[in-house]
Amino acid sequence: MKKVNKTIITLMFLVIFLSGCWDIKDIDKRVLPLVMGITKVNNDEYRVTVQIPITKKDGEISRVVTSVDKNVSSALGQIRTNSENAVDFSHVRLVVIEKDLSDNKGELIKLVTFLMTSKEISTNAQLAFTDVPIEELLSNINKKLGVDSTSLYDFFNKGAGWAPQILSTRIWEVYRSLYSYTQDISVPIVDYGKDTVLNYKGAAALKKGELTQELNPNETQLLKLFQNKNAKGKIEDVGFASVMVTRSAIENKIFIKNNKPLVSSDLNFKIDILERKEDITNNQIKKELEKLIEKRFNSMFDNAQENNIDIFGFGQYFRDEIPYDDLKNWRERYYPELKVDFKVHASME
């Protein structure tokens, strides 16, 4: 009898450890925000806005929820507390930061650090800046007929060959750039479109979290080429003709001469001619395209060097050529002396 009682007591004790799933929420009892917007109000409070997809009802496809508190984590807690369902922020795929924060180096570093260390938000989520109020940006989706509630995220993920000028920058990439000796980062800038969900305005180049210059869409596409991204699908207007890039490849060779860094870059384009004026030859079009891209690069590089920001990431190529202890001096000692011989070679498909 005593043995039976011991067995029952043991089983009752083990039951406690069999309830490990007590706090699991069914998928239909959770809401999964995909987009989050962050700004600051009254100089000391953060306004956090999330876009939550919902089942289509009366034409509505998403709901915009906003909370204001002394810090971002408290604002997220308010949204979770006031929601009728469990809010799972781990599904956020895009974080949009309003201008008042993106222009403030200290605030931006603080925010990026929070996003990187937060256990609630994926560090693989994309980051973007905007000049317009966050609520208007997110609400704009419901005003466009025929769009999906994931449109803001999908905007940055069209796939190869569709929008080669659009940058895609992750939270962890921005965080890494804050502490990198040899690599700076650029973050896309968007606002709401008149006839589309979003309008791509280019990118902001950041040096250690400080916005130093803005790049237009043509410049961001060239920037992506140095990140080994294909320019397929890019349309260029050379004045008397327009062409589409069908393939691209870039080759960079590095040298150090008299303790000064040198880069030889050869960009190869395969193109299709879409339209041209009469009596314009293929050779004229190729030469004009080559001149256009080379001029664009030289202008970008001159501005970047003047601002002492390595937007093309040339410092990465020299990590094995410069002593490790000297890498911290890349921007101050080596980058101002950098010479780049950039050549474009266009050919017909």
Side-chain angles (χ1 to χ4, degrees), residues 273-337:
I273 298 175
L274 302 179
E275 54 185 334
R276 72 174 95 191
K277 293 182 179 180
E278 280 188 59
D279 302 323
I280 297 298
T281 66
N282 290 349
N283 192 54
Q284 286 177 293
I285 295 173
K286 289 189 292 183
K287 293 299 181 184
E288 192 64 24
L289 176 63
E290 291 170 353
K291 187 169 70 172
L292 173 69
I293 303 300
E294 288 173 2
K295 181 180 179 181
R296 183 180 300 161
F297 169 83
N298 290 327
S299 176
M300 288 178 64
F301 179 64
D302 288 345
N303 288 336
Q305 209 168 31
E306 183 179 342
N307 291 317
N308 198 26
I309 177 171
D310 190 0
I311 58 175
F312 292 101
F314 286 122
Q316 293 294 98
Y317 302 132
F318 290 92
R319 290 187 68 89
D320 294 331
E321 306 297 324
I322 298 175
Y324 179 78
D325 292 339
D326 209 18
L327 283 176
K328 61 185 177 182
N329 299 317
W330 165 254
R331 290 184 183 88
E332 289 72 29
R333 179 180 174 185
Y334 293 96
Y335 186 58
E337 300 291 338

Side-chain angles (χ1 to χ4, degrees), residues 46-94:
Y46 291 88
R47 184 169 65 229
V48 178
T49 306
V50 295
Q51 181 211 35
I52 302 174
I54 59 176
T55 304
K56 289 188 177 182
K57 183 179 180 181
D58 299 327
E60 194 175 20
I61 58 175
S62 68
R63 181 174 49 170
V64 175
V65 180
T66 297
S67 177
V68 177
D69 213 320
K70 59 184 179 180
N71 55 53
V72 176
S73 55
S74 297
L76 293 176
Q78 275 193 24
I79 293 174
R80 183 185 291 108
T81 299
N82 296 330
S83 175
E84 62 274 18
N85 291 317
V87 183
D88 186 354
F89 293 112
S90 67
H91 287 263
V92 170
R93 291 295 176 263
L94 173 64

Side-chain angles (χ1 to χ4, degrees), residues 153-182:
Y153 170 69
D154 293 341
F155 179 85
F156 295 93
N157 296 275
K158 294 183 175 69
W162 292 103
Q165 62 268 46
I166 294 181
L167 283 178
S168 179
T169 305
R170 313 286 175 174
I171 290 173
W172 67 266
E173 292 176 313
V174 178
Y175 181 79
R176 179 188 61 184
S177 74
L178 299 178
Y179 304 97
S180 174
Y181 294 140
T182 57

